[in-house]
Amino acid sequence: MRDILFAGRILASVTHEMQNVMAIIKESGALTDDILSLNGLLEKPSLRHGDKLAAALKNIQEQVGRGRNLMIMLNGFAHAAADYPERCDIVRFARLICVLAERMVKLGECSLETELAGKAEMVRGNALMLMQAIFLGIEGMLARCDKGDTLTVSVLPSAAGACGREGESVAPKEKGLPATELEPAARAPEPRSLPLGQDGRAQLRISARNSLMLPDSAGLEALLAENGGACLPWPGGLSLFFVRDDELAPEEGAMAP
Amino acid sequence: MTSDNTISTVLIVDDEVEFAFTLAQRLGLRGYAASVAHDGESALRSIAEARPDMVLLDVMLPGMHGIEVLRRIRELDQDLPVILLTGQAGARDGIEGMKRGARGYLAKPVDLGELLEFFHGPNREA
């Protein structure tokens, strides 16, 4: 844990410095734009390649915005272990790790969408564990996705956590086939039962039209079990269960980063 | 401050010299007289010598922390509007600063449009 905290401190410090770098780039680009605009130069036909200059200045602003968003998430990641050692908001940190996982998904020639507009949901376990579990889940799903597929990460409202009786069969059994033998179109869109003891738990879903995660789940079970959670691969998706911490209200400053 | 209670002079307090000067130039192009200071002590001296209409104050300053600078500003002047410039995880600093009398806070890199809203608007955060 000491190593993790050290890494977090360094990362947090560097992200702070990077935002200063981006602030200077942004202001310098914007100042250039200001001067050109105030003098009407960008509109003058006499300015050769004025359109290209305008496009370049626009690019600077857009890329600084992109970099800023990444830095916000990276800074939140850096602070996660120290600031949220025992409980955290699953919605906030799912959003955060999804931004940081976008690059990996893009390299896998897929895309990542989130449905995380819900209210904060506090769960037990440190934020770093939670993000690692989600990341591993995305990675595992991605490895079995078709190119061009879209992975969707969502957090179910608390009341929707129970979607079946414990021990009840999941969708593949209804078809009389193991999940691995089902055609994508025949796969059920969501699980019908929950792992033992997960009824009412906070549930995060990663779904993709053509993905089928294998039961080993990339070591997810062990990671989640350490914190009382579980995972359930199902045709077209994966559910991660976390122990809800209903007694605690979201902490101050725990709004979306 | 002008007679219609809008801002005309601004002090930018930031140890990032290039950032402070570039922002000052951008404000200058829009008719504001902006000066810069790069640490808390020089900012306090500058305020004591010539009170600006508004202070843009970076939270992470070398030496005296921005929140402490804010506290010292409040000792000098209860009413001087102060906008904090925070880091990406600066919500806590920003909220703390507002509790201590800052008008609001902005995360870097600063959006000039949002900043200019502060010049005329009520207390807020961005």
Side-chain angles (χ1 to χ4, degrees), chain A residues 16 29 78 99 143-144 146 233 254:
Chain A
H16 183 85
V99 171
R144 293 164 182 85
D146 292 339

Side-chain angles (χ1 to χ4, degrees), chain A residues 41-55:
Chain A
L41 289 174
L42 287 175
E43 292 76 34
K44 279 186 181 172
S46 58
L47 182 66
R48 287 186 68 198
H49 307 303
D51 56 336
K52 292 184 179 66
L53 180 59

Side-chain angles (χ1 to χ4, degrees), chain B residues 67 70 84 91-104:
Chain B
I67 298 294
L70 173 61
L84 295 174
R92 258 173 284 186
D93 281 335
I95 292 165
E96 177 67 19
M98 289 184 76
K99 285 177 184 170
R100 292 168 183 264
R103 175 175 282 192

Side-chain angles (χ1 to χ4, degrees), chain B residues 19-74:
Chain B
F19 170 78
F21 277 119
T22 312
L23 182 58
Q25 286 177 302
R26 293 193 71 203
L27 290 172
L29 289 173
R30 286 160 177 79
Y32 300 99
S35 56
V36 300
H38 302 306
D39 58 61
E41 293 290 353
S42 58
L44 292 167
R45 276 198 304 274
S46 180
I47 291 167
E49 287 167 10
R51 181 191 187 276
D53 296 333
M54 178 171 278
V55 176
L56 306 180
L57 175 61
D58 187 26
V59 172
M60 296 293 283
L61 289 170
M64 196 188 306
H65 191 270
I67 298 294
E68 173 61 14
V69 179
L70 173 61
R71 191 187 68 76
R72 299 269 294 269
I73 289 174
R74 283 287 160 266

Side-chain angles (χ1 to χ4, degrees), chain A residues 16-17 19-20 22-24 26-28 30-31 34-35 38 64 68 72 75 83 252, chain B residues 16 18-19 22-23 25-26 29-30 60 86-89 92 95 99 107-110:
Chain A
H16 183 85
E17 196 66 0
Q19 88 200 5
N20 280 327
M22 286 192 298
I24 293 167
K26 178 182 168 68
E27 290 306 316
S28 299
L31 179 62
D34 283 350
I35 292 168
L38 286 170
V64 166
R68 179 191 180 195
I72 289 171
N75 192 275
D83 291 355
E252 187 178 336
Chain B
E16 288 289 332
E18 294 85 356
F19 170 78
T22 312
L23 182 58
Q25 286 177 302
R26 293 193 71 203
L29 289 173
R30 286 160 177 79
M60 296 293 283
T86 70
Q88 307 299 7
R92 258 173 284 186
I95 292 165
K99 285 177 184 170
K108 285 183 176 176
V110 174

Side-chain angles (χ1 to χ4, degrees), chain A residues 96-111:
Chain A
L96 192 159
I97 196 64
C98 283
V99 171
L100 297 179
E102 269 178 10
R103 175 73 180 161
M104 174 181 71
V105 176
K106 192 176 171 186
L107 287 174
E109 298 181 75
C110 292
S111 57

Side-chain angles (χ1 to χ4, degrees), chain A residues 74-95:
Chain A
L74 196 55
N75 192 275
F77 182 82
H79 283 283
D83 291 355
Y84 301 94
E86 294 175 354
R87 58 191 70 88
C88 60
D89 174 12
I90 188 173
V91 175
R92 175 190 183 187
F93 285 99
R95 189 182 291 124

